Amino acid sequence: MFNNLIAKEGQSKVFYLFLAFVLFLILDCEFLSFIFFALTIWFALIYRNKRLEKDYDISDILAPISGKVLTIDKRDNKTQITIDVSLCDNHILRAPKNGNFILTHQKGLNTLLDSLKAKKLNEKATITYSDMNLELISSLYGTDISISSNEALMGDKLGVFLHGQVIVELDNSKEILVNIGNKVESGKTVLARAK
């Protein structure tokens, strides 16, 4: 049941924060117990694991992560949708479509994504499907990007991504259903579908 509430990647963090809260509560240190209680709630929200209602078409491309659409760029028969992931969003990374994918991972820094240099030096992972790519670029509060398998059904959990940007690259045969500034929800919002 605990796995349905909090993702396994965050369970140990929430558990240790809760233990620190109880310890400082027993030691009658009100300020530190309050701080660790607030951190326990915050991390439980960060790693929350929402249930999905699976009612989408097989040709849909779902949002892989929750966040805000920053840009939609069209060039060279490709469309790129950039999703900004903040610490207040749901951080469960989900498969945007059915099928196998190839994962490439590059270790790097965790700095703010304000410059092109930061986008090149920060930790990133690329998930390549036959007709689309996902690029995850970690930012300041990011942790290691971990993806558990290389095959998933649409909407299934792939891993956790805390903070940064996700760039979804599609070919122009897809109709884009989101606009700049829209909030998207992981595994629920349909980004695109076949024309």
Side-chain angles (χ1 to χ4, degrees):
M1 170 159 164
F2 200 58
N3 287 337
N4 293 336
L5 299 175
I6 298 173
K8 67 178 181 173
E9 292 87 352
Q11 288 176 1
S12 63
K13 294 175 178 113
V14 172
F15 177 72
Y16 289 126
L17 287 169
F18 182 74
L19 280 181
F21 159 68
V22 171
L23 176 69
F24 286 116
L25 194 63
I26 291 170
L27 295 174
D28 199 28
C29 186
E30 291 177 10
F31 178 72
L32 288 176
S33 62
F34 173 76
I35 294 295
F36 279 98
F37 177 73
L39 284 173
T40 302
I41 298 299
W42 180 254
F43 273 74
L45 285 173
I46 285 176
Y47 288 102
R48 67 191 179 276
N49 197 4
K50 290 185 172 180
R51 291 185 58 191
L52 287 181
E53 306 285 330
K54 298 192 176 188
D55 59 342
Y56 34 74
D57 190 76
I58 198 73
S59 67
D60 291 347
I61 303 293
L62 299 179
I65 195 87
S66 296
K68 183 178 181 181
V69 177
L70 281 183
T71 64
I72 300 174
D73 295 324
K74 294 187 179 200
R75 65 175 96 122
D76 300 331
N77 295 325
K78 299 281 184 187
T79 302
Q80 285 187 341
I81 303 170
T82 304
I83 302 170
D84 183 48
V85 182
S86 74
L87 288 176
C88 297
D89 295 314
N90 189 337
H91 302 283
I92 305 296
L93 183 68
R94 298 194 181 274
K97 60 178 276 177
N98 292 332
N100 297 335
F101 57 85
I102 298 169
L103 174 67
T104 55
H105 188 243
Q106 172 189 327
K107 290 283 187 185
L109 303 174
N110 286 325
T111 62
L112 285 174
L113 290 173
D114 290 341
S115 68
L116 182 61
K117 184 182 260 187
K119 289 185 180 181
K120 294 197 180 289
L121 294 176
N122 282 8
E123 181 173 1
K124 63 177 75 170
T126 305
I127 299 172
T128 306
Y129 286 92
S130 60
D131 61 344
M132 70 176 289
N133 290 330
L134 297 176
E135 185 177 22
L136 292 78
I137 306 171
S138 185
S139 187
L140 187 62
Y141 302 108
T143 58
D144 286 342
I145 300 170
S146 62
I147 296 171
S148 51
S149 72
N150 65 347
E151 178 181 2
L153 296 175
M154 185 184 297
D156 285 352
K157 179 182 163 195
L158 296 177
V160 172
F161 182 70
L162 280 188
H163 186 233
Q165 290 180 351
V166 176
I167 301 170
V168 181
E169 185 179 80
L170 305 162
D171 56 28
N172 281 339
S173 66
K174 304 285 186 193
E175 176 188 2
I176 306 301
L177 301 176
V178 292
N179 295 314
I180 295 172
N182 285 11
K183 292 288 283 178
V184 295
E185 203 168 332
S186 172
K188 287 187 177 179
T189 306
V190 178
L191 292 180
R193 68 172 39 122
K195 291 181 180 177

